[in-house]
Protein backbone atom coordinates (compact mmCIF):
# COMPACT_ATOMS: atom_id res chain seq x y z
CA UNK A 1 0.00 0.00 0.00
CA UNK A 2 2.82 2.34 0.94
CA UNK A 3 4.63 1.63 -2.32
CA UNK A 4 1.42 2.27 -4.29
CA UNK A 5 0.87 5.56 -2.46
CA UNK A 6 4.45 6.61 -3.05
CA UNK A 7 4.10 5.71 -6.73
CA UNK A 8 0.87 7.73 -6.95
CA UNK A 9 2.56 10.76 -5.37
CA UNK A 10 5.51 10.38 -7.75
CA UNK A 11 3.24 10.16 -10.80
CA UNK A 12 1.21 13.17 -9.64
CA UNK A 13 4.35 15.21 -9.05
CA UNK A 14 5.74 14.16 -12.43
CA UNK A 15 2.48 15.15 -14.16
CA UNK A 16 2.57 18.58 -12.50
CA UNK A 17 6.19 19.08 -13.53
CA UNK A 18 5.42 18.02 -17.11
CA UNK A 19 2.43 20.39 -17.20
CA UNK A 20 4.63 23.26 -16.11
CA UNK A 21 7.36 22.23 -18.56
CA UNK A 22 4.85 22.19 -21.43
CA UNK A 23 3.56 25.70 -20.69
CA UNK A 24 4.75 28.11 -23.43
CA UNK A 25 7.48 30.53 -22.40
CA UNK A 26 7.37 34.02 -23.92
CA UNK A 27 10.46 35.95 -24.97
CA UNK A 28 11.10 39.66 -24.51
CA UNK A 29 13.62 42.37 -25.22
CA UNK A 30 14.52 44.32 -22.07
CA UNK A 31 14.73 48.12 -22.12
CA UNK A 32 16.71 49.45 -19.14
CA UNK A 33 15.55 53.01 -18.56
CA UNK A 34 18.49 53.85 -16.30
CA UNK A 35 20.84 53.14 -19.21
CA UNK A 36 18.73 55.18 -21.65
CA UNK A 37 18.19 58.23 -19.43
CA UNK A 38 21.60 58.25 -17.77
CA UNK A 39 19.89 58.36 -14.37
CA UNK A 40 20.91 55.75 -11.81
CA UNK A 41 17.44 55.81 -10.25
CA UNK A 42 14.39 55.55 -12.51
CA UNK A 43 10.72 54.85 -11.85
CA UNK A 44 8.06 53.77 -14.34
CA UNK A 45 4.94 55.88 -13.84
CA UNK A 46 2.39 55.07 -16.54
CA UNK A 47 1.99 53.51 -19.99
CA UNK A 48 -0.69 53.56 -22.72
CA UNK A 49 -1.66 51.27 -25.59
CA UNK A 50 0.30 53.21 -28.21
CA UNK A 51 3.46 52.23 -26.30
CA UNK A 52 4.10 55.67 -24.80
CA UNK A 53 5.77 55.34 -21.38
CA UNK A 54 6.02 57.99 -18.66
CA UNK A 55 8.94 57.67 -16.27
CA UNK A 56 10.88 59.76 -13.81
CA UNK A 57 14.60 59.87 -13.21
CA UNK A 58 16.48 60.72 -10.06
CA UNK A 59 18.98 63.58 -9.85
CA UNK A 60 22.25 63.28 -11.77
CA UNK A 61 24.21 66.39 -10.68
CA UNK A 62 24.13 68.98 -12.02
CA UNK A 63 20.81 67.71 -13.49
CA UNK A 64 17.76 67.73 -11.19
CA UNK A 65 14.95 65.16 -10.96
CA UNK A 66 13.21 64.91 -14.35
CA UNK A 67 10.29 63.24 -16.12
CA UNK A 68 10.59 61.54 -19.48
CA UNK A 69 8.43 60.12 -22.26
CA UNK A 70 9.65 57.04 -24.14
CA UNK A 71 8.32 55.14 -27.13
CA UNK A 72 9.99 52.72 -29.54
CA UNK A 73 13.52 53.88 -28.81
CA UNK A 74 12.79 57.63 -28.69
CA UNK A 75 13.23 59.58 -25.45
CA UNK A 76 11.80 63.02 -24.71
CA UNK A 77 12.48 65.09 -21.59
CA UNK A 78 9.48 66.89 -20.08
CA UNK A 79 10.27 70.44 -18.99
CA UNK A 80 8.23 72.91 -16.98
CA UNK A 81 5.70 70.32 -15.83
CA UNK A 82 5.39 67.91 -12.90
CA UNK A 83 3.09 64.89 -13.57
CA UNK A 84 0.67 63.78 -10.85
CA UNK A 85 1.72 60.83 -8.74
CA UNK A 86 -0.74 58.12 -9.87
CA UNK A 87 -2.17 57.31 -13.34
CA UNK A 88 -1.49 60.84 -14.65
CA UNK A 89 -1.58 59.95 -18.37
CA UNK A 90 -4.72 59.31 -20.43
CA UNK A 91 -4.97 57.16 -23.56
CA UNK A 92 -4.12 60.15 -25.80
CA UNK A 93 -0.85 60.77 -23.96
CA UNK A 94 -2.15 63.91 -22.23
CA UNK A 95 -1.10 64.29 -18.61
CA UNK A 96 -2.42 66.05 -15.55
CA UNK A 97 -0.16 67.58 -12.91
CA UNK A 98 1.25 70.95 -11.95
CA UNK A 99 3.18 73.74 -13.65
CA UNK A 100 4.56 77.17 -12.78
CA UNK A 101 2.86 79.75 -15.00
CA UNK A 102 4.77 82.65 -13.48
CA UNK A 103 7.04 83.35 -10.52
CA UNK A 104 5.38 81.48 -7.65
CA UNK A 105 2.22 80.87 -9.73
CA UNK A 106 1.90 77.08 -9.49
CA UNK A 107 -1.41 75.65 -10.66
CA UNK A 108 -3.07 72.44 -11.81
CA UNK A 109 -2.07 71.86 -15.41
CA UNK A 110 -2.42 69.61 -18.46
CA UNK A 111 0.57 68.62 -20.59
CA UNK A 112 -0.24 67.84 -24.24
CA UNK A 113 2.66 67.17 -26.61
CA UNK A 114 4.84 69.91 -25.12
CA UNK A 115 2.03 72.41 -24.61
CA UNK A 116 1.11 73.22 -20.99
CA UNK A 117 -2.25 74.74 -20.08
CA UNK A 118 -4.09 75.31 -16.84
CA UNK A 119 -6.47 72.55 -15.79
CA UNK A 120 -9.72 74.40 -15.15
CA UNK A 121 -11.34 72.81 -12.12
CA UNK A 122 -15.12 72.34 -11.93
CA UNK A 123 -16.93 75.41 -10.62
CA UNK A 124 -17.75 74.08 -7.15
CA UNK A 125 -14.38 72.47 -6.34
CA UNK A 126 -12.81 75.53 -4.74
CA UNK A 127 -15.93 75.99 -2.61
CA UNK A 128 -16.32 72.37 -1.47
CA UNK A 129 -12.72 71.20 -1.31
CA UNK A 130 -10.58 73.46 0.76
CA UNK A 131 -7.16 71.85 0.60
CA UNK A 132 -4.79 71.12 -2.28
CA UNK A 133 -5.90 68.34 -4.58
CA UNK A 134 -4.04 65.08 -5.08
CA UNK A 135 -4.74 63.72 -8.55
CA UNK A 136 -5.15 59.94 -8.75
CA UNK A 137 -6.40 59.36 -12.32
CA UNK A 138 -7.15 61.29 -15.50
CA UNK A 139 -8.94 60.36 -18.74
CA UNK A 140 -9.56 61.57 -22.31
CA UNK A 141 -12.71 63.43 -21.24
CA UNK A 142 -10.57 65.62 -18.97
CA UNK A 143 -12.35 64.02 -16.02
CA UNK A 144 -10.30 63.16 -12.95
CA UNK A 145 -10.46 61.41 -9.62
CA UNK A 146 -8.81 63.37 -6.84
CA UNK A 147 -8.29 63.29 -3.13
CA UNK A 148 -9.16 66.45 -1.27
CA UNK A 149 -10.19 67.82 2.11
CA UNK A 150 -13.66 69.03 3.00
CA UNK A 151 -14.87 69.85 6.49
CA UNK A 152 -11.58 68.72 8.00
CA UNK A 153 -11.77 65.20 6.56
CA UNK A 154 -10.04 63.70 3.58
CA UNK A 155 -12.14 62.00 0.88
CA UNK A 156 -12.17 61.05 -2.80
CA UNK A 157 -13.99 63.11 -5.42
CA UNK A 158 -14.86 62.66 -9.08
CA UNK A 159 -14.32 65.79 -11.18
CA UNK A 160 -16.40 66.02 -14.33
CA UNK A 161 -19.23 67.89 -16.02
CA UNK A 162 -18.13 71.11 -14.33
CA UNK A 163 -18.84 69.76 -10.85
CA UNK A 164 -17.24 67.66 -8.15
CA UNK A 165 -18.93 64.64 -6.58
CA UNK A 166 -17.83 62.88 -3.44
CA UNK A 167 -17.61 59.17 -4.32
CA UNK A 168 -15.96 57.65 -1.25
CA UNK A 169 -16.38 57.83 2.50
CA UNK A 170 -12.76 58.63 3.30
CA UNK A 171 -11.70 59.37 6.87
CA UNK A 172 -14.99 60.54 8.28
CA UNK A 173 -16.31 61.15 11.76
CA UNK A 174 -19.85 59.76 11.38
CA UNK A 175 -22.11 57.56 9.26
CA UNK A 176 -19.22 55.53 7.84
CA UNK A 177 -20.06 52.13 9.33
CA UNK A 178 -16.43 51.73 10.29
CA UNK A 179 -15.08 52.07 6.74
CA UNK A 180 -11.81 53.94 6.52
CA UNK A 181 -9.59 55.37 3.80
CA UNK A 182 -10.54 54.97 0.11
CA UNK A 183 -7.93 53.80 -2.38
CA UNK A 184 -8.35 54.88 -6.00
CA UNK A 185 -7.40 52.12 -8.46
CA UNK A 186 -8.09 53.91 -11.76
CA UNK A 187 -10.48 55.93 -13.93
CA UNK A 188 -11.25 54.64 -17.43
CA UNK A 189 -12.26 56.47 -20.61
CA UNK A 190 -15.95 55.78 -19.96
CA UNK A 191 -15.78 57.90 -16.78
CA UNK A 192 -15.93 54.81 -14.56
CA UNK A 193 -13.83 55.05 -11.41
CA UNK A 194 -12.73 51.94 -9.49
CA UNK A 195 -12.19 52.33 -5.75
CA UNK A 196 -11.22 50.10 -2.86
CA UNK A 197 -12.02 50.64 0.81
CA UNK A 198 -10.85 48.86 3.93
CA UNK A 199 -12.43 48.09 7.28
CA UNK A 200 -10.60 46.44 10.17
CA UNK A 201 -13.63 44.27 10.96
CA UNK A 202 -15.22 43.57 7.56
CA UNK A 203 -12.08 43.56 5.43
CA UNK A 204 -11.96 45.03 1.94
CA UNK A 205 -14.69 46.01 -0.51
CA UNK A 206 -14.65 47.56 -3.98
CA UNK A 207 -17.01 49.47 -6.22
CA UNK A 208 -17.25 51.19 -9.59
CA UNK A 209 -18.58 54.74 -9.68
CA UNK A 210 -20.10 55.77 -13.02
CA UNK A 211 -19.47 59.48 -13.49
CA UNK A 212 -22.04 59.72 -16.29
CA UNK A 213 -24.96 58.30 -14.30
CA UNK A 214 -23.85 58.84 -10.70
CA UNK A 215 -24.48 55.13 -9.95
CA UNK A 216 -22.21 53.35 -7.47
CA UNK A 217 -22.03 49.58 -8.07
CA UNK A 218 -20.33 47.24 -5.61
CA UNK A 219 -18.37 44.26 -6.88
CA UNK A 220 -19.86 41.15 -5.30
CA UNK A 221 -19.30 37.44 -5.84
CA UNK A 222 -22.01 35.61 -7.79
CA UNK A 223 -22.75 33.39 -4.76
CA UNK A 224 -25.40 35.29 -2.85
CA UNK A 225 -25.25 33.26 0.36
CA UNK A 226 -21.54 33.81 0.79
CA UNK A 227 -20.02 36.89 2.33
CA UNK A 228 -16.48 37.99 1.65
CA UNK A 229 -14.05 40.72 0.77
CA UNK A 230 -12.91 41.99 -2.61
CA UNK A 231 -9.56 43.64 -3.29
CA UNK A 232 -9.28 45.05 -6.85
CA UNK A 233 -5.87 45.18 -8.53
CA UNK A 234 -6.53 46.21 -12.14
CA UNK A 235 -9.14 47.96 -14.32
CA UNK A 236 -9.51 48.61 -18.05
CA UNK A 237 -11.56 50.77 -20.41
CA UNK A 238 -14.18 48.05 -20.88
CA UNK A 239 -14.89 48.09 -17.14
CA UNK A 240 -13.21 44.71 -16.55
CA UNK A 241 -11.73 44.32 -13.06
CA UNK A 242 -9.17 41.81 -11.78
CA UNK A 243 -8.30 41.31 -8.15
CA UNK A 244 -8.44 39.00 -5.15
CA UNK A 245 -11.59 37.43 -3.73
CA UNK A 246 -11.83 36.09 -0.17
CA UNK A 247 -15.03 34.23 0.65
CA UNK A 248 -16.22 33.25 4.12
CA UNK A 249 -18.78 30.48 4.67
CA UNK A 250 -19.29 28.84 8.08
CA UNK A 251 -15.69 29.49 9.02
CA UNK A 252 -14.23 27.99 5.84
CA UNK A 253 -12.28 30.35 3.64
CA UNK A 254 -11.87 30.13 -0.11
CA UNK A 255 -9.84 32.64 -2.03
CA UNK A 256 -8.36 33.33 -5.40
CA UNK A 257 -7.79 35.84 -8.17
CA UNK A 258 -10.95 36.85 -10.01
CA UNK A 259 -12.13 38.43 -13.26
CA UNK A 260 -15.15 40.76 -13.03
CA UNK A 261 -16.79 41.47 -16.38
CA UNK A 262 -20.31 42.51 -17.38
CA UNK A 263 -21.51 42.23 -13.78
CA UNK A 264 -20.23 38.66 -13.35
CA UNK A 265 -17.37 37.61 -11.09
CA UNK A 266 -15.39 34.49 -12.03
CA UNK A 267 -12.42 32.88 -10.30
CA UNK A 268 -9.54 32.57 -12.76
CA UNK A 269 -8.80 29.09 -11.44
CA UNK A 270 -12.17 27.90 -12.77
CA UNK A 271 -11.26 29.10 -16.29
CA UNK A 272 -8.17 26.91 -16.56
CA UNK A 273 -7.90 23.25 -17.55
CA UNK A 274 -7.55 21.40 -14.21
CA UNK A 275 -4.82 19.22 -15.72
CA UNK A 276 -2.64 22.32 -16.06
CA UNK A 277 -1.96 22.06 -12.28
CA UNK A 278 -1.45 25.79 -11.75
CA UNK A 279 -2.19 27.66 -8.52
CA UNK A 280 -2.77 31.40 -8.85
CA UNK A 281 -1.74 33.81 -6.09
CA UNK A 282 -2.07 37.46 -7.08
CA UNK A 283 -3.34 39.38 -10.08
CA UNK A 284 -1.25 42.34 -11.19
CA UNK A 285 -2.79 44.02 -14.23
CA UNK A 286 -5.38 43.67 -17.02
CA UNK A 287 -5.08 45.31 -20.44
CA UNK A 288 -7.80 46.44 -22.84
CA UNK A 289 -7.94 42.99 -24.43
CA UNK A 290 -8.81 41.44 -21.05
CA UNK A 291 -5.41 39.74 -20.96
CA UNK A 292 -4.08 39.41 -17.42
CA UNK A 293 -0.73 39.29 -15.64
CA UNK A 294 -0.55 37.38 -12.36
CA UNK A 295 1.76 35.41 -10.11
CA UNK A 296 1.29 31.64 -10.01
CA UNK A 297 3.04 28.37 -9.38
CA UNK A 298 2.67 24.89 -10.83
CA UNK A 299 1.94 22.14 -8.32
CA UNK A 300 5.19 20.61 -7.12
CA UNK A 301 7.33 23.47 -8.44
CA UNK A 302 9.40 25.45 -5.90
CA UNK A 303 9.28 28.88 -7.53
CA UNK A 304 6.54 31.37 -8.35
CA UNK A 305 6.25 32.47 -11.97
CA UNK A 306 4.96 35.61 -13.65
CA UNK A 307 2.13 34.36 -15.87
CA UNK A 308 0.34 35.71 -18.93
CA UNK A 309 -3.33 34.67 -18.85
CA UNK A 310 -5.64 34.94 -21.85
CA UNK A 311 -9.13 33.36 -21.72
CA UNK A 312 -7.90 30.41 -19.69
CA UNK A 313 -4.65 29.83 -21.57
CA UNK A 314 -1.37 30.39 -19.74
CA UNK A 315 2.14 31.35 -20.82
CA UNK A 316 5.19 31.93 -18.62
CA UNK A 317 7.09 35.23 -18.56
CA UNK A 318 10.61 34.30 -17.33
CA UNK A 319 11.08 37.55 -15.46
CA UNK A 320 13.89 36.25 -13.21
CA UNK A 321 15.91 35.30 -16.32
CA UNK A 322 15.07 38.55 -18.11
CA UNK A 323 15.94 40.73 -15.09
CA UNK A 324 18.76 38.94 -13.21
CA UNK A 325 19.75 40.68 -9.99
CA UNK A 326 16.53 42.71 -9.84
CA UNK A 327 14.50 42.38 -6.64
CA UNK A 328 11.13 43.72 -5.41
CA UNK A 329 9.65 43.39 -8.90
CA UNK A 330 6.43 45.38 -9.38
CA UNK A 331 4.30 45.38 -12.54
CA UNK A 332 3.22 48.98 -13.20
CA UNK A 333 1.25 48.53 -16.41
CA UNK A 334 0.54 46.16 -19.31
CA UNK A 335 -0.73 47.29 -22.73
CA UNK A 336 -2.32 45.67 -25.78
CA UNK A 337 1.06 45.53 -27.53
CA UNK A 338 2.06 43.05 -24.83
CA UNK A 339 4.61 45.46 -23.36
CA UNK A 340 5.11 45.29 -19.59
CA UNK A 341 6.33 48.25 -17.52
CA UNK A 342 8.20 47.04 -14.43
CA UNK A 343 9.81 48.68 -11.41
CA UNK A 344 12.40 46.88 -9.32
CA UNK A 345 15.48 47.45 -7.20
CA UNK A 346 19.13 46.87 -8.05
CA UNK A 347 21.63 47.36 -5.25
CA UNK A 348 18.99 49.20 -3.24
CA UNK A 349 18.27 51.68 -6.06
CA UNK A 350 14.93 51.95 -7.90
CA UNK A 351 15.15 50.91 -11.56
CA UNK A 352 12.51 50.87 -14.31
CA UNK A 353 12.39 48.38 -17.18
CA UNK A 354 10.19 47.73 -20.20
CA UNK A 355 9.67 44.20 -21.47
CA UNK A 356 8.98 44.29 -25.23
CA UNK A 357 7.70 41.05 -26.86
CA UNK A 358 10.01 39.50 -29.44
CA UNK A 359 8.07 38.39 -32.55
CA UNK A 360 8.03 34.69 -33.34
CA UNK A 361 10.09 34.06 -36.53
CA UNK A 362 8.07 32.83 -39.49
CA UNK A 363 8.95 29.17 -40.10
CA UNK A 364 10.06 28.08 -43.59
CA UNK A 365 8.59 25.16 -45.49
CA UNK A 366 5.15 23.59 -45.36
CA UNK A 367 5.92 21.20 -42.51
CA UNK A 368 7.42 23.99 -40.43
CA UNK A 369 4.44 26.20 -41.28
CA UNK A 370 2.03 23.54 -40.00
CA UNK A 371 4.09 23.22 -36.81
CA UNK A 372 4.09 26.98 -36.50
CA UNK A 373 0.30 27.15 -36.82
CA UNK A 374 -0.02 24.45 -34.17
CA UNK A 375 2.25 26.44 -31.89
CA UNK A 376 0.22 29.58 -32.47
CA UNK A 377 -2.89 27.65 -31.58
CA UNK A 378 -1.31 26.61 -28.29
CA UNK A 379 -0.30 30.21 -27.62
CA UNK A 380 -3.54 31.93 -28.53
CA UNK A 381 -3.44 35.53 -27.41
CA UNK A 382 0.37 35.71 -27.35
CA UNK A 383 1.15 39.38 -26.62
CA UNK A 384 3.37 39.49 -29.72
CA UNK A 385 0.31 38.88 -31.88
CA UNK A 386 -1.98 41.09 -29.81
CA UNK A 387 -0.57 44.29 -31.25
CA UNK A 388 -3.48 45.46 -33.41
CA UNK A 389 -5.73 48.33 -32.39
CA UNK A 390 -8.78 47.68 -30.27
CA UNK A 391 -12.06 49.60 -30.76
CA UNK A 392 -11.48 53.15 -29.58
CA UNK A 393 -7.68 52.97 -29.72
CA UNK A 394 -6.29 56.47 -30.01
CA UNK A 395 -4.69 57.62 -33.28
CA UNK A 396 -1.03 58.51 -33.52
CA UNK A 397 0.03 62.07 -32.95
CA UNK A 398 2.23 63.33 -35.75
CA UNK A 399 4.00 65.86 -33.55
CA UNK A 400 6.82 64.76 -31.26
CA UNK A 401 6.56 61.21 -29.96
CA UNK A 402 3.69 59.20 -31.45
CA UNK A 403 0.93 59.02 -28.90
Amino acid sequence: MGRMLALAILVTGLAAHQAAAQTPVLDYEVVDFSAITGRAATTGRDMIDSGLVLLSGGPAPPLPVASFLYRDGELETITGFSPASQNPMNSLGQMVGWAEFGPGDWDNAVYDDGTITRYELPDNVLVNISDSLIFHAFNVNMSAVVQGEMGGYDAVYYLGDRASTRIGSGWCNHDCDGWTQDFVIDLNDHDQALLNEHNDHYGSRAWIYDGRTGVKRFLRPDISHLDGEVTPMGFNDAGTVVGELFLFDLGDREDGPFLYKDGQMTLLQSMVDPEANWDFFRTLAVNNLDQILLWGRADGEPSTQLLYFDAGEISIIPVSDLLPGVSSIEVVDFNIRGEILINGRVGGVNRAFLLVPIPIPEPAGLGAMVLGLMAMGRRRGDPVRSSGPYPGDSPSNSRGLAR
Side-chain angles (χ1 to χ4, degrees):
M1 179 66 178
R3 293 180 59 185
M4 293 179 62
L5 179 60
L7 180 60
I9 293 174
L10 176 61
V11 171
T12 301
L14 180 60
H17 180 75
Q18 289 175 341
Q22 293 171 0
T23 303
V25 178
L26 305 181
D27 199 8
Y28 293 83
E29 174 190 353
V30 178
V31 178
D32 183 345
F33 286 123
S34 289
I36 290 178
T37 63
R39 306 297 179 102
T42 50
T43 302
R45 303 282 301 282
D46 209 348
M47 179 172 65
I48 58 177
D49 282 337
S50 69
L52 190 67
V53 178
L54 170 66
L55 57 139
S56 59
L63 299 176
V65 174
S67 296
F68 304 91
L69 289 172
Y70 172 89
R71 186 180 188 274
D72 295 338
E74 297 182 34
L75 186 71
E76 174 185 320
T77 303
I78 299 174
T79 58
F81 177 82
S82 178
S85 60
Q86 180 182 341
N87 303 319
M89 186 163 57
N90 66 22
S91 59
L92 295 177
Q94 301 163 325
M95 288 179 286
V96 69
W98 298 270
E100 188 174 21
F101 292 92
D105 181 20
W106 285 88
D107 201 356
N108 304 298
V110 172
Y111 180 97
D112 185 4
D113 196 26
T115 300
I116 302 172
T117 57
R118 292 182 190 267
Y119 179 71
E120 299 295 337
L121 296 175
D123 298 331
N124 66 341
V125 168
L126 297 180
V127 175
N128 290 341
I129 306 175
S130 60
D131 207 352
S132 299
L133 301 182
I134 300 174
F135 285 92
H136 285 287
F138 181 60
N139 71 12
V140 295
N141 305 317
M142 297 296 171
S143 301
V145 176
V146 303
Q147 189 173 328
E149 183 177 310
M150 182 171 68
Y153 293 91
D154 212 7
V156 173
Y157 298 83
Y158 167 80
L159 307 185
D161 296 330
R162 308 304 309 149
S164 68
T165 304
R166 184 172 179 172
I167 60 176
S169 60
W171 295 305
C172 54
N173 58 346
H174 61 85
D175 195 26
C176 286
D177 196 25
W179 293 97
T180 55
Q181 184 182 5
D182 305 310
F183 299 93
V184 179
I185 306 300
D186 209 348
L187 172 71
N188 68 20
D189 282 345
H190 296 287
D191 287 334
Q192 297 171 325
L194 176 64
L195 286 89
N196 182 212
E197 198 172 35
H198 184 75
N199 178 287
D200 290 338
H201 177 70
Y202 297 107
S204 177
R205 66 179 180 178
W207 68 88
I208 295 174
Y209 174 82
D210 191 325
R212 299 179 182 181
T213 64
V215 174
K216 181 177 179 179
R217 184 175 77 251
F218 284 92
L219 276 63
R220 302 187 188 279
D222 299 323
I223 309 172
S224 59
H225 68 280
L226 289 180
D227 194 10
E229 56 179 292
V230 175
T231 303
M233 302 298 295
F235 189 45
N236 69 15
D237 283 334
T240 300
V241 181
V242 295
E244 315 301 323
L245 174 64
F246 300 89
L247 297 179
F248 299 87
D249 185 24
L250 301 178
D252 295 326
R253 174 169 171 164
E254 301 175 20
D255 57 27
F258 71 84
L259 171 74
Y260 181 88
K261 183 177 178 65
D262 298 328
Q264 299 293 317
M265 183 176 289
T266 307
L267 289 176
L268 296 184
Q269 199 76 51
S270 69
M271 301 170 63
V272 179
D273 183 351
E275 295 184 1
N277 291 304
W278 281 100
D279 288 326
F280 300 144
F281 299 122
R282 184 168 181 253
T283 51
L284 303 171
V286 59
N287 67 15
N288 280 319
L289 296 175
D290 285 349
Q291 298 158 340
I292 301 167
L293 296 183
L294 71 158
W295 292 111
R297 184 174 64 215
D299 289 346
E301 293 293 312
S303 59
T304 300
Q305 302 272 11
L306 181 60
L307 303 177
Y308 167 86
F309 181 100
D310 183 17
E313 296 194 10
I314 302 170
S315 299
I316 295 173
I317 301 170
V319 65
S320 58
D321 296 331
L322 294 168
L323 301 174
V326 179
S327 62
S328 303
I329 290 175
E330 171 198 359
V331 172
V332 179
D333 216 337
F334 172 46
N335 66 18
I336 64 171
R337 292 164 36 134
E339 297 167 333
I340 306 171
L341 181 59
I342 287 178
N343 286 332
R345 294 182 68 80
V346 178
V349 178
N350 293 328
R351 294 274 290 273
F353 304 89
L354 184 67
L355 303 187
V356 181
I358 296 177
I360 302 173
E362 293 186 7
L366 180 60
M369 182 175 69
V370 172
L371 291 176
L373 289 173
M374 292 173 62
M376 288 175 66
R378 286 183 55 82
R379 296 175 65 164
R380 179 172 61 85
D382 189 322
V384 172
R385 297 184 288 105
S386 298
S387 57
Y390 70 101
D393 193 12
S394 59
S396 296
N397 187 329
S398 60
R399 300 170 296 152
L401 286 178
R403 296 297 192 258

